[in-house]
Amino acid sequence: MENSAPTTISRRRALTVAGGVAAGAALAAHAVPAFAADASSADAIVVGHGLAGLVATAELVAAGKKVLLLDQEPESNLGGQAFWSFGGLFLVDSDEQRLMGIKDTQELAWQDWLGTAGFDRGVDDSTGQDYWARKWAEAYVDFAANEKRSWLYGLGIRWFPIVGWAERGGGLADGHGNSVPRFHVTWGTGPAVVEPFEKQVRAGVASGKVTFKFRHRVDEIVRTNGTVTGVRGAILEPSTAQRGKATSRTVVGDFELNAPVVIVTSGGIGANHDLVRQNWPARLGTPPKTMITGVPAYVDGRMLGITASAGGRIVNPDRMWHYTEGLRNYDPIWPNHGIRILPGPSSMWFDATGKRFSAPDMPGYDTLHTLGSITASGYDYSWFVTTSKIIAKEFALSGSEQNPDLTNKDILMLLSRIWQTPEPIEKFRKNGVDFITATTLSELVLGMNKLTGDGLIKLADLQRQIEARDREIDNPYSKDAQVMGIRNALSYPGDSLSRTAAIHKILDPSAGPLIAVRLNILTRKTLGGLQTDLSGRVLDATGKPIPGLYAAGEVSGFGGGGVHGYRSMEGTFLGGCLFSGRQAGRAAAAAL
């Protein structure tokens, strides 16, 4: 059942809606050149055909505007990184939550967001880095608690009924993490999130409102008398590469396109390890020498610098979101391709030397704190030590291609998870270089040391720590934070049904064989970016909007230059593309 429409309009929603009106008035105050209706001009240019770009384009088309949609990649990559995603969406007080007995409120979600984000950079200063980020956060939580579900439901999007519990936090009610499960997996995963917006854009193509400009790489945003008037760039040679595959950068021509509005939706920096290391914050330790990549090669961050050259202000560049549970893909699609494990709460987590991490560095609790602990160890990897019983129920892999049951909406295949380990997990276990399987702990340690070649794991020390943890299982209470967390998870029906194995001793032979998994640092999301107001208008160094220039999605830190603050609550990346793309598209249409 859809959420009922609210009977009152909150201050936050009023501010959000008013953003479009403000953008229209501001742009009208500037002299905007008139453009002829030819192949090189339109009402708006959207740079980037990922999810945020599709949403913004769909909104412009709905308002009757003519759009040029550019991307340096071929048509096969339409939908961008969202296509490869697990399809997780952050919703508050949803029908799915209520079905699972979860009591959630907008107030609790806002408490969790503030505790997670830790906004501390000029929140009350209109020129502060976190000023607009916090306003975006407030508007987004309001959106997630009210209109978001009914809007998406009306577009045909549905969700798996069991709500996931991601980023369980650092241990305090007002600190980092989700107090309750809020991770809603889309039925059909990432492709199903992309689908309704792609359909709207393709309908715009059919009606003459949208023109695709594939293999058009923007190298400059053009400003005339201070107002954005278009873009210039290079035409790359045609490519028949499959989705996600790296494409050539051979230039075969150049272009200049004109419009009174340009919306930048080009994504982040996750595939550009040089930029990742350049912006790596000291609070996360030394940048890893070795990382694997969670996004295709085209996520290169180029448009951040190009937009900055046009006067756009980049804020919070040191805030980023990288995962700690990465696997090297045995069948890679893009260069250095990594896949993330979505772990349940039961695997024991050790650093490269075999020292067990303490709270909150437990599976599924605090990603960035754990990342800092791993870099502090002096090594670029860590270990799960677990059992076949745990893997069978608790391991999932991020990505639409790693979840054929959910992606293809195959109910029978989905139900087979009840009695068998999902096939993608089994394939990684058999073919992936990061898995070690053994019947005894001594055999497991030999395999771990052979894989890394450094001999860091000592059998006696590892055995001592595992046995100490196993003794905590004998009673229904414990001082071990992870054991307490497992029991907490088992009290939530969603976890006990699908995501948490019955509590048992790691060295229990009936739960074996034993498994060790080497975990690599996996680059993924950019949390900072172009600073925007609630209309998606890009701001300059003085905090003033650049006439005609908008941004949405990851390039804008998913709104405001950093809506997440320092950390994410998960399920908020796709949602950030949806919300910021919609805001920018609607505001630009109103301005036009």
Side-chain angles (χ1 to χ4, degrees), residues 296-477:
Y298 56 72
V299 186
D300 55 19
R302 289 184 72 254
M303 284 305 300
L304 281 163
I306 291 167
T307 310
S309 295
R313 182 190 185 196
I314 296 174
V315 295
N316 301 311
D318 61 318
R319 293 179 184 171
M320 52 187 70
W321 188 257
H322 306 305
Y323 289 112
T324 51
E325 313 100 331
L327 301 174
R328 298 176 186 276
N329 196 341
Y330 65 89
D331 186 20
I333 297 171
W334 52 78
N336 198 28
H337 188 177
I339 296 292
R340 184 203 174 196
I341 295 173
L342 301 173
S346 301
S347 297
M348 296 186 70
W349 205 338
F350 299 88
D351 70 14
T353 68
K355 179 182 177 182
R356 186 186 179 192
F357 289 123
S358 59
D361 302 330
M362 304 181 297
Y365 277 76
D366 192 332
T367 294
L368 288 195
H369 191 282
T370 307
L371 177 58
S373 296
I374 291 170
T375 58
S377 74
Y379 296 89
D380 299 339
Y381 68 93
S382 59
W383 292 100
F384 276 167
V385 173
T386 188
T387 67
S388 294
K389 185 176 181 178
I390 291 172
I391 280 187
K393 192 165 186 178
E394 296 194 8
F395 272 33
L397 299 175
S398 181
S400 55
E401 83 281 12
Q402 300 297 332
N403 294 274
D405 48 358
L406 291 165
T407 300
N408 299 325
K409 303 180 182 180
D410 189 326
I411 295 176
L412 289 178
M413 185 183 293
L414 179 64
L415 290 174
S416 72
R417 294 191 183 210
I418 297 173
W419 63 81
Q420 65 182 16
T421 305
E423 184 179 7
I425 297 289
E426 276 300 312
K427 285 184 176 180
F428 263 91
R429 181 173 169 177
K430 293 176 181 177
N431 303 315
V433 298
D434 295 308
F435 281 77
I436 305 294
T437 302
T439 55
T440 66
L441 188 60
S442 59
E443 183 184 350
L444 190 75
V445 170
L446 285 173
M448 295 164 73
N449 285 330
K450 182 179 179 181
L451 176 62
T452 61
D454 51 25
L456 294 173
I457 306 297
K458 307 302 179 186
L459 173 60
D461 194 39
L462 193 69
Q463 183 169 344
R464 174 188 59 78
Q465 295 173 88
I466 295 173
E467 288 178 344
R469 179 268 187 198
D470 281 357
R471 292 187 190 100
E472 299 288 316
I473 306 302
D474 290 332
N475 294 289
Y477 42 85

Side-chain angles (χ1 to χ4, degrees), residues 72-73 215 236-239 241 245-251:
Q72 65 183 355
E73 295 306 308
R215 302 295 279 160
L236 306 179
E237 67 177 351
S239 172
K245 293 288 187 180
T247 57
S248 80
R249 293 294 179 259
T250 300
V251 175

